[in-house]
């Protein structure tokens, strides 16, 4: 089968298309023949070495397809089942992949493979952010950076459906329009406007209850300065580089702020948590409250171009690879 392989950390140039043996599932594992593959910022962090891997390795954590082989002791799935996964191990950039049964979920017949591959990791991230890291409720004002990105579009819609006033930041007028059509009540162009000042103006000086920040270093101060007293800073990504060390007194000076650096994998650590998060996601998609925006699809052999586009913030919504 065809698969992406890399033998060192680096830029998109380290990604190579190779012909490799089709993997056989071991005990408790299933092999999925992919129909669609998700592309995520965590893939870039793993590729460039921010999140170290053991080489040589595959790449990619998310895909959807059909079970074509099962290992000894598998009880969760059978050959022919439609399934999806979003938390590895790395190797989803391939025509097929082997994952443990406890890391995959059954895909309902009314959820397309492409939708699942575009939504699993990003959508379950949105789920734990608005329902478990911070419980967004009616009347909350929230700030979402990168509001036109894959997670951002889902997060904004989900939060709006819960009754929140959603303030998003984006980098262009085109992305602003997309964010407005996907749950953003107010949009700030971060490279033209003072984000914190605009947030204060929108909220009549009060600030937001929570700032969801996937950008990292470049937006740290804007996020902290946008929060109201006892607000929460949620830093869950590093698109502009990791957040630098932060003095605890900065949180005190900001109004007894809270800060957390969550990751999806700690919120879907058990099969029960994984199933509950996925079912919540499928339910909001099915209800129409959250629409999944697939902005672009690349062929597997265009993986370098896909990474360049994502890292260069030239994508909107979710990005797929076609196996």
């Amino acid at each position: 089968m065809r698969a992406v392989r890399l033998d060192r950390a680096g830029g998109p140039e380290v990604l190579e298309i190779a012909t490799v043996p089709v993997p056989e599932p071991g005990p408790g594992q299933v092999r999925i023949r992919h129909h669609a593959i998700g592309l995520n910022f965590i893939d870039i962090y793993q590729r460039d070495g921010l999140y170290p891997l053991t080489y040589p390795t595959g790449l990619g954590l998310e895909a959807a397809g059909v079970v074509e082989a099962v290992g000894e002791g598998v009880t969760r799935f059978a050959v022919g089942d439609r399934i999806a996964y979003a938390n590895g191990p790395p190797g989803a950039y391939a025509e097929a992949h082997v994952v443990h049964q406890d890391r995959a979920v059954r895909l309902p017949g009314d959820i397309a493979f492409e939708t699942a591959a575009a939504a699993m990791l990003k959508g379950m991230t949105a789920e734990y952010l608005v329902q478990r890291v911070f419980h967004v409720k009616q009347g909350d004002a929230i700030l979402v950076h990168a509001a036109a990105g894959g997670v951002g579009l889902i997060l904004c819609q989900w939060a709006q459906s819960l009754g929140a006033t959603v303030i998003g930041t984006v980098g262009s007028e085109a992305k602003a329009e997309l964010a407005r059509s996907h749950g953003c009540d107010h949009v700030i162009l971060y490279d033209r406007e003072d984000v914190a000042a605009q947030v204060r103006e929108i909220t009549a000086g009060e600030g937001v209850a929570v700032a969801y920040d996937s950008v990292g270093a470049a937006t740290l101060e804007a996020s902290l300065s946008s929060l109201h007293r006892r607000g929460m800073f949620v830093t869950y990504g590093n698109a502009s580089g990791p957040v630098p060390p932060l003095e605890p007194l900065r949180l005190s000076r900001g109004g007894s702020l809270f800060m957390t650096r969550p990751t999806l994998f700690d919120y879907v650590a058990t099969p029960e948590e994984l199933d509950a998060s996925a079912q919540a996601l499928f339910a909001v998609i099915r209800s129409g409250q959250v629409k999944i925006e697939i902005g672009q699809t690349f062929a597997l052999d265009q993986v370098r171009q896909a990474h360049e586009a994502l890292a260069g913030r030239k994508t909107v919504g979710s990005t797929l690879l076609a196996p």
Side-chain angles (χ1 to χ4, degrees):
M1 69 174 190
R2 295 163 65 248
V4 172
R5 291 289 184 267
L6 59 160
D7 57 15
R8 68 188 190 282
E13 72 279 357
V14 303
L15 302 173
E16 302 285 351
I17 301 293
T19 300
V20 301
V22 176
E24 291 300 327
Q29 295 181 328
V30 297
R31 184 173 73 235
I32 304 101
R33 179 61 58 171
H34 292 157
H35 286 235
I37 302 161
L39 189 75
N40 297 284
F41 256 103
I42 191 173
D43 306 344
I44 293 176
Y45 305 153
Q46 291 182 331
R47 185 209 72 215
D48 66 16
L50 179 64
Y51 298 171
L53 298 174
T54 300
Y55 304 101
T57 183
L59 197 66
L61 302 175
E62 177 181 43
V66 174
V67 176
E68 65 175 13
V70 300
E72 181 183 354
V74 170
T75 57
R76 193 166 157 84
F77 303 107
V79 172
D81 283 349
R82 304 172 80 249
I83 70 171
Y85 63 92
N87 52 351
Y93 291 6
E95 293 176 335
H97 191 33
V98 164
V99 300
H100 196 277
Q101 62 175 342
D102 289 347
R103 298 292 83 205
V105 300
R106 193 175 303 277
L107 188 60
D110 59 349
I111 304 293
F113 292 117
E114 291 78 12
T115 299
M120 281 287 292
L121 192 146
K122 301 172 188 71
M124 290 193 300
T125 296
E127 181 275 323
Y128 85 79
L129 289 175
V130 301
Q131 297 197 147
R132 292 185 282 160
V133 168
F134 182 92
H135 184 71
V136 174
K137 62 186 183 301
Q138 179 81 30
D140 283 338
I142 75 168
L143 176 64
V144 179
H145 288 292
V151 174
L153 290 177
I154 299 172
L155 180 56
C156 290
Q157 293 176 86
W158 206 321
Q160 190 183 64
S161 78
L162 296 172
T165 297
V166 182
I167 305 169
T169 72
V170 299
S172 70
E173 289 288 358
K175 289 187 176 183
E177 196 57 41
L178 184 65
R180 289 188 190 98
S181 67
H182 287 75
C184 261
D185 298 291
H186 306 275
V187 181
I188 300 169
L189 294 171
Y190 64 81
D191 57 350
R192 304 182 200 175
E193 302 174 274
D194 182 321
V195 171
Q198 288 296 310
V199 167
R200 295 290 172 182
E201 183 176 331
I202 292 165
T203 60
E206 183 175 352
V208 294
V210 58
Y212 292 113
D213 194 333
S214 61
V215 178
T219 48
L220 167 63
E221 192 55 39
S223 292
L224 293 173
S225 298
S226 296
L227 292 168
H228 67 46
R229 185 163 47 95
R230 299 196 304 272
M232 179 175 284
F233 171 46
V234 183
T235 171
Y236 70 98
N238 321 280
S240 68
V243 170
L246 186 66
E247 272 191 300
L249 280 174
R250 175 64 184 87
L251 303 178
S252 175
R253 289 193 298 269
S256 299
L257 306 178
F258 295 87
M259 174 180 174
T260 184
R261 194 354 178 150
T263 178
L264 170 64
F265 310 119
D266 288 326
Y267 283 82
V268 292
T270 67
E272 293 76 19
E273 289 174 335
L274 176 63
D275 285 343
S277 185
Q279 290 307 314
L281 171 63
F282 297 151
V284 294
I285 293 173
R286 192 177 288 117
S287 72
Q289 293 173 312
V290 169
K291 295 179 175 61
I292 304 303
E293 181 79 21
I294 300 173
Q296 46 283 310
T297 299
F298 294 84
L300 190 61
D301 59 8
Q302 294 177 307
V303 64
R304 292 181 181 178
Q305 295 98 307
H307 270 234
E308 288 168 353
L310 186 60
R313 300 186 188 182
K314 296 177 181 176
T315 63
V316 294
S318 297
T319 303
L320 295 183
L321 293 176

